[in-house]
Structures are given as structure tokens and as C-alpha cells.
Amino acid sequence: MDDNERFLAVARDRLVRDGMDVVGTATSQKEALQLAEELHPDVVLVDISLGTESGFEVTRRLVADFPDLASRVVLISTRDQDDFAELIAASPAAGFLPKNLLSGRAVCDLVPAGDC
């Protein structure tokens, strides 16, 4: 999930090239929750900075509404992890990836084995 559609397209292409199936993309919390219910994804990527929405809140809602996503939400951002270290640690996310290091392997390294 990201509010930047251009980034969504680039990320989708990169992950597909890495052998991942990208089943959907969302630009808002409402859309992310709806797609999670419809598509039952194995892993969800959520941008921390979503304009007027918070990626931390989206992550919390995803895990609350879909407990099977616990440890399978990965936070992403262009900002440095240290900027959000405490919030990342307190979130139910599996971890954090800088957007410039996004890859299928990096995602799979963060989530439990078998979920990628």
C-alpha cells in the first residue's frame, strides 16, 4: 500500500521480476482493508507515510481485522528506519524495508518461512 501510484507500479514490477505474485495494490486504508478481505494476501507492504493517513494505523487495522496477517505486514519508507525505530518496534509489522532496497528476497527475509 502506497499513496504514490508511480511507486506502486515500480514496486509491483520489481517484485514480479523477483518471482513474487502481486495480487493487488491500494492507495488508501479503506482500499487496503477491502483488498485484504477479498484477496487474502500472504504479505502486505505498507508505506509509513501515506499523506493524511498513517501507515502504522493501517498496519494496526490490518492485523486487528485479519489476525493471520500478524508478522506478515512489512513497513516501507523513503525515510530512514531510525526516524521511526520506536514506532516500528511497537507495531505489529514483521519489520521495515527502505523503498530503495525493496526486493522479493528482502521481503521474504522479514516474514515467517513459508509465507513468501
Side-chain angles (χ1 to χ4, degrees):
M1 175 187 175
D2 198 296
D3 60 338
N4 182 322
E5 291 190 30
R6 183 171 174 228
F7 174 78
L8 286 174
V10 170
R12 174 187 216 114
D13 289 347
R14 182 178 300 159
L15 295 172
V16 167
R17 278 195 314 266
D18 288 347
M20 297 188 89
D21 293 326
V22 178
V23 297
T25 59
T27 58
S28 69
Q29 176 175 283
K30 180 180 177 182
E31 194 176 10
L33 293 168
Q34 180 181 355
L35 288 174
E37 183 172 9
E38 291 173 12
L39 302 172
H40 308 283
D42 293 329
V43 177
V44 178
L45 304 178
V46 177
D47 187 13
I48 288 174
S49 302
L50 296 168
T52 61
E53 297 182 297
S54 163
F56 293 106
E57 176 60 20
V58 172
T59 299
R60 188 193 66 72
R61 285 285 312 276
L62 282 166
V63 172
D65 291 1
F66 308 99
D68 58 321
L69 287 177
S71 299
R72 296 191 291 140
V73 177
V74 176
L75 293 164
I76 59 174
S77 182
T78 56
R79 300 212 13 218
D80 190 85
Q81 181 173 358
D82 292 341
D83 294 345
F84 302 103
E86 289 180 23
L87 292 170
I88 293 168
S91 81
F96 171 85
L97 281 174
K99 286 184 178 181
N100 65 324
L101 298 179
L102 182 63
S103 70
R105 178 178 209 87
V107 170
C108 289
D109 285 348
L110 289 175
V111 298
D115 287 333
C116 254

